Amino acid sequence: MTRTRVHNLNISLDGYAAGGTVTLDAPIGGAEALFGGFDGRFIHGIDAVDAPVTLDRALTTLWGQGIGAEIMGRAKFGPPAGDRPDGWRGWWGEEPPFRTPVFVMTHESLPPIEFANGTSFHFVDGPPHEVLRLAREAAGGLDVRLGGGPSTVRQFLQADLVDFMHLVTVPITLGRGVSLWDGVSGTEGRFTVESVASPSGLVHQLWNRNAPVPAG
Amino acid sequence: MTRTRVHNLNISLDGYAAGGTVTLDAPIGGAEALFGGFDGRFIHGIDAVDAPVTLDRALTTLWGQGIGAEIMGRAKFGPPAGDRPDGWRGWWGEEPPFRTPVFVMTHESLPPIEFANGTSFHFVDGPPHEVLRLAREAAGGLDVRLGGGPSTVRQFLQADLVDFMHLVTVPITLGRGVSLWDGVSGTEGRFTVESVASPSGLVHQLWNRNAPVPAG
């Protein structure tokens, strides 16, 4: 079995997981404070960085475990088409952290982009189950990470295609933005949820999809 | 920098992390209940097993991250010399979970044992700093795991050679056994400690050694 997993999806107290329009100066659309305390160095494991291993960082290390491909929305890859500099290759320079194929959901038709570290971006148009099929093929038996943003995760939740989510409540308010839950209800009934308060003030939630009830 | 790390050291409410004498039927000397809820499949990462990712299991995945060698006490390797069957190769059959060199601290002189999966046992006699030097050499720039039992971890704590510990309080009482803290005091002053209650009833502690104060 392979899973479709969401990691480190940070949500404000008032329910927002991203801001409004993404610009070159505002990669999360004005909601950059959501990641103010996030130590991204830990996504590749505790051995990758010389810093104390806190609960928050320990849970961050789940990000890369057994992942063979990522799916992301267009806004995670970059600003809208007209607002990007020529030759845009994403926010991450020549060392994107993914190190796997990444499927960017967009109506634009763009050629793939490849990097020396194993990352490649593939631009695909289609419904969630079709994009997931492509990502699974590319993942070679490993899990698929659903990288966000919140609108993308929401589409997959509504299609019941998410197996695991690590959500993080950040004790800040944003006042406006994009909610993961907009128009979604009853999702929690399909999952078993653990909530864990961190000494840092964050609250971590681990959502594990319940096994399907056998037919018959 | 490489670290010396302790993982999944389970401790009862009355302070015991192992039982008394280890026998073939009692690998933890009568304290087997300490690991009754432990899902060892997760030591190699969440992708290794098809089961819900709970907080307890997520923290278990730290065990293998960036580890190049393990140090263990004699009792973790097996019963006392006279009580072992001929040709004893440890508790784990032909697939020991370590997959690295393992240094077993013992006064016995025994030839090394090697396995096809990368595990090897080396039997060494010496003080903690000397055994740690050997393990670091073998670890090839990765971290060293201090695998227990509690008497072994205690020796390294007393010598101030431990950089990280994941301790787990298990809500059971044992009445007797081996304590990690026997004769140890003030250790907490050298560490920053986070305590986290798990929905399962366990309490996890993450001990990170404070950076040394620069001289001068």
Side-chain angles (χ1 to χ4, degrees):
Chain A
M1 182 216 65
T2 62
R3 283 172 288 212
T4 303
R5 294 160 33 194
V6 175
H7 288 277
N8 308 314
L9 183 54
N10 287 5
I11 302 176
S12 68
L13 290 175
D14 46 354
Y16 301 114
T21 304
V22 166
T23 68
L24 288 178
D25 294 331
I28 311 177
E32 288 67 31
L34 279 173
F35 289 89
F38 179 67
D39 193 335
R41 300 175 297 175
F42 279 85
I43 60 175
H44 293 300
I46 64 173
D47 49 307
V49 51
D50 180 8
V53 181
T54 60
L55 176 73
D56 300 342
R57 289 162 168 173
L59 292 177
T60 296
T61 71
L62 299 176
W63 183 91
Q65 293 183 27
I67 292 289
E70 165 154 332
I71 295 168
M72 65 169 65
R74 189 275 305 158
K76 183 169 172 184
F77 172 71
D83 298 344
R84 286 176 221 148
D86 286 347
W88 179 259
R89 290 165 66 81
W91 305 99
W92 304 276
E94 287 304 304
E95 291 279 350
F98 310 102
R99 304 179 186 172
T100 68
V102 175
F103 294 84
V104 181
M105 296 177 75
T106 175
H107 302 306
E108 300 174 67
S109 178
L110 293 167
I113 304 174
E114 304 215 351
F115 296 84
N117 75 353
T119 304
S120 56
F121 291 114
H122 307 268
F123 302 89
V124 294
D125 195 4
H129 72 271
E130 183 61 22
V131 175
L132 182 56
R133 190 184 61 76
L134 293 171
R136 277 201 182 130
E137 277 179 24
L142 296 176
D143 287 355
V144 172
R145 185 177 47 239
L146 193 49
S151 312
T152 303
V153 174
R154 190 195 313 129
Q155 285 181 62
F156 282 76
L157 270 178
Q158 287 170 328
D160 195 15
L161 294 173
V162 177
D163 300 304
F164 175 79
M165 294 196 293
H166 172 207
L167 307 185
V168 186
T169 305
V170 184
I172 60 173
T173 53
L174 291 172
R176 55 183 287 280
V178 182
S179 165
L180 175 62
W181 305 118
D182 201 14
V184 175
S185 68
T187 310
E188 67 281 358
R190 301 200 304 267
F191 288 82
T192 299
V193 184
E194 283 191 349
S195 297
V196 180
S198 167
S200 69
L202 301 179
V203 176
H204 297 274
Q205 291 183 358
L206 304 178
W207 290 59
N208 284 280
R209 192 167 181 278
N210 300 323
V213 179
Chain B
M1 183 215 65
T2 61
R3 284 172 288 213
T4 303
R5 293 161 33 194
V6 175
H7 288 277
N8 309 314
L9 182 53
N10 287 5
I11 303 177
S12 68
L13 290 174
D14 47 353
Y16 301 114
T21 303
V22 167
T23 68
L24 288 178
D25 295 331
I28 311 178
E32 287 67 31
L34 279 174
F35 289 89
F38 179 67
D39 191 334
R41 299 175 299 173
F42 279 85
I43 61 175
H44 293 299
I46 64 173
D47 49 307
V49 50
D50 180 9
V53 182
T54 61
L55 175 73
D56 300 342
R57 289 162 168 174
L59 293 176
T60 297
T61 71
L62 300 176
W63 183 91
Q65 294 185 25
I67 292 291
E70 165 153 332
I71 295 168
M72 66 170 63
R74 188 276 304 159
K76 183 169 171 184
F77 172 71
D83 298 344
R84 288 177 220 148
D86 287 347
W88 179 257
R89 289 166 67 80
W91 305 99
W92 303 277
E94 286 304 303
E95 291 279 349
F98 310 102
R99 305 179 186 172
T100 68
V102 175
F103 293 84
V104 181
M105 295 176 75
T106 175
H107 302 306
E108 299 175 67
S109 178
L110 293 168
I113 304 175
E114 305 215 351
F115 297 83
N117 75 353
T119 303
S120 56
F121 291 114
H122 307 268
F123 302 88
V124 294
D125 196 4
H129 72 272
E130 183 61 21
V131 175
L132 181 56
R133 190 183 61 75
L134 293 171
R136 278 201 181 129
E137 278 179 22
L142 296 177
D143 288 354
V144 172
R145 185 177 46 242
L146 192 50
S151 312
T152 303
V153 174
R154 190 195 313 129
Q155 284 182 62
F156 282 76
L157 270 179
Q158 288 171 327
D160 195 15
L161 294 173
V162 177
D163 299 304
F164 174 79
M165 294 196 291
H166 172 207
L167 308 184
V168 186
T169 305
V170 183
I172 60 172
T173 53
L174 291 171
R176 56 183 287 281
V178 181
S179 165
L180 174 62
W181 305 118
D182 201 14
V184 174
S185 67
T187 309
E188 66 282 358
R190 302 200 304 268
F191 288 82
T192 299
V193 184
E194 281 190 353
S195 296
V196 180
S198 169
S200 69
L202 302 179
V203 176
H204 296 275
Q205 292 184 357
L206 303 178
W207 291 58
N208 283 278
R209 192 167 180 277
N210 300 323
V213 179

